[in-house]
Amino acid sequence: MTEPLLVVEDLVKDFPVRRGAVFGRQVGTVRAVDGVSFDVRPGETLGIVGESGCGKSTLARCVMRLLDVESGRIEFAGRDITHLSRREMRDVRSDLMMVFQDPYESLNPHMRVGDIIAEPLEIYKRRPEGGIRHRVKELLDRVGLRPEHYDRFPHEFSGGQRQRIGIARALALEPKLIVCDEPVTALDVSVQAQILNLLSDLQGEFGLTYIFIAHDLDVVRHVSDRLCVMYLGQISERGRCEDVYRHPRHPYSASLMAAVPIADPKLARARKPIVLEGEIPSPLDRPGACRFHPRCPRATEICAAEDPPARQFEPDHEAHCYFPVERWPLDDPSELASRTDPDAAVQSS
Amino acid sequence: MTVLDVRELRTTFQTREGAACAVDGVSFTLERGRVLGLVGESGSGKSVTSLSLMRLLPRGVSVEGQALLNGFDLVTADDADLRRLRGDEIAMIFQDPTTSLNPVYTVGWQVEEMIRLHNEIPRAQVHQRARDMLGAVGIAQPAARLDDYPHQFSGGMRQRVMIAMALANNPSVLIADEPTTALDVTTQAQILVLLRRLRAEFDSAIMLITHDLGVVAEICDDVAVMYGGRIVERAPVDEIFESPRHPYTWGLLDSMPSRATSGRLRSIPGTPPSLTELPGGCRFHPRCPVAMEKCRTDAPALRSAGGGDDGHLDACHLAAEQKRARGQGLASAPAASR
Ligand SMILES: Nc1ncnc2c1ncn2[C@@H]1O[C@H](COP(=O)(O)OP(=O)(O)OP(=O)(O)O)[C@@H](O)[C@H]1O
Ligand code: SF4
Ligand SMILES: [Mg+2]
């Protein structure tokens, strides 16, 4: 098997929590990323999916080394980059680019589009064949913009076009890995489809590797080879995309999938929805042991007492749960609550 | 039974580039106990339609046409009429529950105020009714929560409070503008279950504005697809998904990753037009893969392609057989295999 391009091990990231207006006293910490491990193989797309506040963006920023981590390890192309200084990161940076959620906020409004795309080339003192201007025009063309867009400003573009500008900029240094944080979330569905097609074409053409972060399960399913499902700072389930969708094992992944609206009215009417109790807890009073236990229809005392172990299913498919979902799909949502009790099984045998 | 009958609604803004028609001759009806989904991409005029009906647009914006709420025209209603109707006969829920609740009053006060405005009943009864409403929308221990402030509620709970306020006086019409867009998918599922239950219990007519065809399939009975300020297709929900007739509707369905049959999505080229540069003829023609010469010049009327009254209307010049063939080919593509 090929070596992974990126390995993340047991990553932990805390944020201080302050009370008071400006110079607030620190009253505690929020663990936004709580022991996350995964790897990304060259040429694949690793999807990371989860609801708001689960730590997806923070994780992305840690991997990009835009944030320092408390502990854990990040290895990129065989090199430990966890503690590289800003200067040492320079060599790595050009191989590791990011595309952001909001094309409105991530582009400098006072710069011309051509200069925005050229900026990484300038910073890294690259002298592309034919000159920088020529290279930028090539990039504009590649992402579906026109050469005359070079001298325009970001506000003259629609959301989708701005996302194309962000993608052109990310491509400028010919990176190996692009981290896409909610790249299509702000876009209309027709434009979203265009950008997803563009990302997939570029991947084929340049052999790019993607980490693709989104809260939209349908989008993540469409683009990903492998998938991580996050809940409250942790990865609750990960595996090959088909495996996880064919049979989600973690009750949270299962509930999430069952909550996604189906774009087929007859199927939607026939389906009995699984409706979870409550909402995602605030990061300040995060439950211990299994983070999902207060909302989980399968939880027992042990789920509230100790961190659940990783269970293996198909090769490369694991979920952190004491009572993984036995079969899928369910005929009735209430089945999610009826688990095969391992203790009972032991006693009866 | 028809409770709201909207005829040729036209809303025009004055912009620096001249008059801009954000809603351009829109007609539909809302029926008791049914949910109409108004779908379309950003800028298609969905929210302006609802704000026009609620008469919540700034002065100086011109609203023409008719919107008959149980026979009473909202378009020509004066301020006193509107105060009486809003919250009582017609109510609205917005996308962002954080901005639509007042942070300085308790949740209970705000729900009670909505009831007091339209009813002269003793305080104890108002209180009781507010408590019942919070209970009805699924807030646990409603009596205790009445004294809480909005910031003590999560996003999903605030949206429930908004729904409770909107339904407090059992309005004939409820307009919900992207009520679940700001919510997480598991919370969205809870709110959709709630809306479904309320439709049955309160028998209101609901207009649900959304850009998400999945949400439409889950909850709507009828669908109106908007593009460039006009309704381009209108039909019962099953028809829209099984035999869509307008090329824009085809494009919307094709763009959905959950309906994709291969790695590439079929999508729609280009971007939705901006209000100040709406194309002439069929407004979809610059993006339409099957546009003809006529489409550039003549605006197609919204009518039944099958002839007669089959309850399925579309505004496209294509021949009826073409619409049928393509629409059904599209629908037979396996929808999400789950
Ligand atoms: N600078 C910060 N200071 C304090 N807390 C923070 C900071 N940035 C993020 N957090 C907290 O960290 C947690 C994870 O945030 P993050 O932005 O990564 O979530 P997300 O999954 O990207 O959410 P969304 O889908 O809403 O963007 C959240 O609880 C958030 O409130
Ligand atoms: S009228 Fe013409 S341009 Fe408009 S949707 Fe039909 S075929 Fe396309
Ligand atoms: Mg985020």
Side-chain angles (χ1 to χ4, degrees):
Chain A
M1 200 157 73
T2 49
E3 287 298 301
L5 180 59
L6 179 82
V7 180
V8 169
E9 266 172 29
D10 226 357
L11 215 61
V12 173
K13 172 66 192 169
D14 293 338
F15 287 114
V17 178
R18 296 179 195 283
R19 284 276 147 69
V22 185
F23 301 105
R25 208 162 43 86
Q26 183 174 338
V27 294
T29 56
V30 174
R31 184 144 290 187
V33 174
D34 190 1
V36 164
S37 308
F38 61 85
D39 60 11
V40 192
R41 297 167 196 157
E44 78 168 346
T45 299
L46 178 81
I48 299 181
V49 68
E51 298 180 282
S52 62
C54 73
K56 312 180 289 292
S57 301
T58 307
L59 177 61
R61 295 164 64 84
C62 292
V63 168
M64 291 296 297
R65 291 292 326 281
L66 299 172
L67 290 172
D68 284 326
V69 296
E70 265 49 61
S71 61
R73 220 169 89 87
I74 308 164
E75 191 184 292
F76 179 71
R79 180 172 180 194
D80 185 343
I81 64 165
T82 325
H83 303 289
L84 293 191
S85 68
R86 220 168 241 278
R87 275 198 40 204
E88 292 166 323
M89 267 307 285
R90 269 191 68 103
D91 320 335
V92 184
R93 196 55 89 211
S94 60
D95 280 336
L96 193 57
M97 296 304 264
M98 188 152 174
V99 171
F100 295 89
Q101 164 167 3
D102 196 339
Y104 301 80
E105 277 173 15
S106 56
L107 304 176
N108 182 339
H110 307 294
M111 279 172 75
R112 289 177 196 281
V113 164
D115 298 330
I116 291 175
I117 299 171
E119 195 178 43
L121 296 167
E122 307 278 2
I123 293 172
Y124 284 91
K125 306 205 166 50
R126 293 286 169 83
R127 293 283 163 263
E129 220 175 299
I132 286 189
R133 211 178 159 88
H134 175 76
R135 169 79 178 132
V136 170
K137 290 201 166 158
E138 239 173 49
L139 287 164
L140 281 172
D141 179 61
R142 189 58 206 85
V143 299
L145 294 167
R146 289 197 299 273
E148 61 267 29
H149 288 147
Y150 194 106
D151 291 311
R152 305 248 190 101
F153 291 94
H155 72 260
E156 298 172 57
F157 293 85
S158 67
Q161 286 174 314
R162 281 188 256 218
Q163 200 52 286
R164 290 177 197 272
I165 298 169
I167 293 170
R169 180 185 156 97
L171 284 177
L173 295 170
E174 300 170 53
K176 295 196 175 82
L177 177 71
I178 301 184
V179 177
C180 307
D181 186 9
E182 304 263 11
V184 296
T185 302
L187 306 176
D188 276 317
V189 51
S190 67
V191 179
Q192 165 179 300
Q194 296 165 10
I195 299 293
L196 292 177
N197 283 345
L198 174 64
L199 286 171
S200 131
D201 294 346
L202 294 171
Q203 181 164 45
E205 195 173 328
F206 302 112
L208 291 167
T209 306
Y210 292 136
I211 295 180
F212 191 103
I213 297 173
H215 67 274
D216 184 326
L217 269 86
D218 289 332
V219 168
V220 172
R221 176 187 203 174
H222 182 74
V223 301
S224 307
D225 299 300
R226 291 189 304 145
L227 180 68
C228 298
V229 181
M230 272 187 92
Y231 189 74
L232 289 179
Q234 300 185 329
I235 291 178
S236 50
E237 178 160 1
R238 57 176 196 77
R240 290 195 314 153
C241 200
E242 314 95 90
D243 293 339
V244 178
Y245 276 89
R246 181 160 20 85
H247 184 166
R249 306 289 179 151
H250 197 283
Y252 174 63
S253 328
S255 320
L256 201 57
M257 281 173 202
V260 176
I262 304 182
D264 179 325
K266 289 201 172 123
L267 290 179
R269 279 193 295 268
R271 174 173 75 159
K272 296 200 189 113
I274 297 179
V275 176
L276 283 179
E277 294 290 310
E279 289 178 52
I280 300 171
S282 127
L284 286 174
D285 50 13
R286 195 162 276 196
C290 173
R291 302 288 186 268
F292 188 55
H293 83 259
R295 301 177 73 198
C296 182
R298 301 167 77 82
T300 66
E301 274 156 36
I302 183 145
C303 310
E306 259 177 274
D307 277 350
R311 290 276 169 84
Q312 284 294 138
F313 302 94
E314 291 87 0
D316 208 22
H317 181 181
E318 65 175 40
H320 290 257
C321 176
Y322 288 106
F323 308 108
V325 178
E326 297 95 350
R327 55 190 193 86
W328 192 262
L330 303 176
D331 299 325
D332 192 283
S334 61
E335 282 174 45
L336 193 61
S338 59
R339 50 177 191 271
T340 340
D341 198 323
D343 294 338
V346 171
Q347 279 163 13
S348 65
S349 63
Chain B
M1 193 185 87
T2 302
V3 272
L4 183 70
D5 185 356
V6 179
R7 298 181 190 166
E8 287 294 310
L9 189 73
R10 181 168 282 104
T11 307
T12 316
F13 294 98
Q14 295 305 324
T15 70
R16 260 178 294 162
E17 285 91 26
C21 201
V23 174
D24 190 7
V26 158
S27 304
F28 59 86
T29 60
L30 297 185
E31 313 288 329
R32 192 163 272 294
R34 287 180 82 84
V35 181
L36 171 77
L38 195 59
V39 279
E41 296 180 285
S42 57
S44 59
K46 307 183 293 292
S47 294
V48 177
T49 300
S50 63
L51 294 173
S52 305
L53 295 176
M54 291 296 288
R55 294 283 306 278
L56 288 173
L57 292 164
R59 286 182 195 283
V61 177
S62 133
V63 180
E64 297 161 281
Q66 277 187 319
L68 302 174
L69 176 62
N70 298 319
F72 186 90
D73 192 357
L74 292 170
V75 173
T76 53
D78 63 23
D79 287 351
D81 291 331
L82 290 172
R83 264 196 305 276
R84 183 173 51 78
L85 292 170
R86 278 191 211 131
D88 191 24
E89 284 289 294
I90 182 167
M92 185 158 174
I93 315 169
F94 298 90
Q95 170 169 354
D96 188 355
T98 40
T99 56
S100 30
L101 283 171
N102 191 327
V104 304
Y105 294 106
T106 63
V107 164
W109 189 90
Q110 298 186 56
V111 180
E112 287 171 17
E113 182 64 10
M114 183 55 91
I115 299 167
R116 264 195 302 272
L117 267 175
H118 298 284
N119 300 278
E120 294 198 9
I121 49 176
R123 267 186 65 179
Q125 268 185 40
V126 171
H127 192 76
Q128 173 74 38
R129 179 111 147 245
R131 210 179 65 194
D132 293 347
M133 282 314 300
L134 286 194
V137 297
I139 287 179
Q141 296 165 321
R145 303 305 309 249
L146 282 174
D147 297 326
D148 286 348
Y149 287 86
H151 73 89
Q152 291 166 284
F153 280 55
S154 69
M157 277 165 59
R158 278 188 288 234
Q159 198 56 288
R160 287 168 198 267
V161 173
M162 291 308 302
I163 296 174
M165 282 171 68
L167 294 177
N169 299 307
N170 201 358
S172 332
V173 174
L174 174 66
I175 299 179
D177 191 351
E178 305 265 7
T180 59
T181 303
L183 305 176
D184 279 316
V185 56
T186 53
T187 314
Q188 165 170 288
Q190 296 169 350
I191 298 291
L192 292 180
V193 167
L194 172 66
L195 284 176
R196 233 180 257 132
R197 215 191 72 217
L198 294 176
R199 164 182 54 189
E201 244 166 62
F202 289 76
D203 208 29
S204 296
I206 302 180
M207 179 164 101
L208 181 84
I209 297 177
T210 177
H211 64 275
D212 185 340
L213 283 164
V215 169
V216 169
E218 288 280 343
I219 187 164
C220 295
D221 303 297
D222 306 292
V223 185
V225 181
M226 275 190 91
Y227 190 82
R230 294 176 182 156
I231 290 179
V232 296
E233 181 158 10
R234 216 175 78 199
V237 67
D238 289 7
E239 285 271 305
I240 287 285
F241 285 86
E242 280 166 17
S243 50
R245 290 182 188 163
H246 196 282
Y248 177 60
T249 314
W250 300 342
L252 278 184
L253 290 166
D254 274 346
S255 297
M256 297 185 74
S258 66
R259 294 173 61 99
T261 46
S262 74
R264 279 189 76 76
L265 299 166
R266 260 180 297 178
S267 179
I268 309 174
T271 48
S274 83
L275 197 52
T276 50
E277 45 199 1
L278 289 173
C282 169
R283 293 202 162 145
F284 187 56
H285 85 255
R287 304 178 71 193
C288 180
V290 290
M292 304 159 283
E293 199 45 47
K294 181 179 180 187
C295 307
R296 270 172 251 286
T297 48
D298 300 356
L302 186 66
R303 56 184 167 69
S304 167
D309 187 13
D310 61 354
H312 187 160
L313 310 178
D314 68 86
C316 169
H317 291 309
L318 282 184
E321 313 78 75
Q322 272 173 291
K323 291 176 189 166
R324 211 164 293 133
R326 173 74 214 284
Q328 281 167 3
L330 195 138
S332 65
S337 52
R338 55 175 170 215

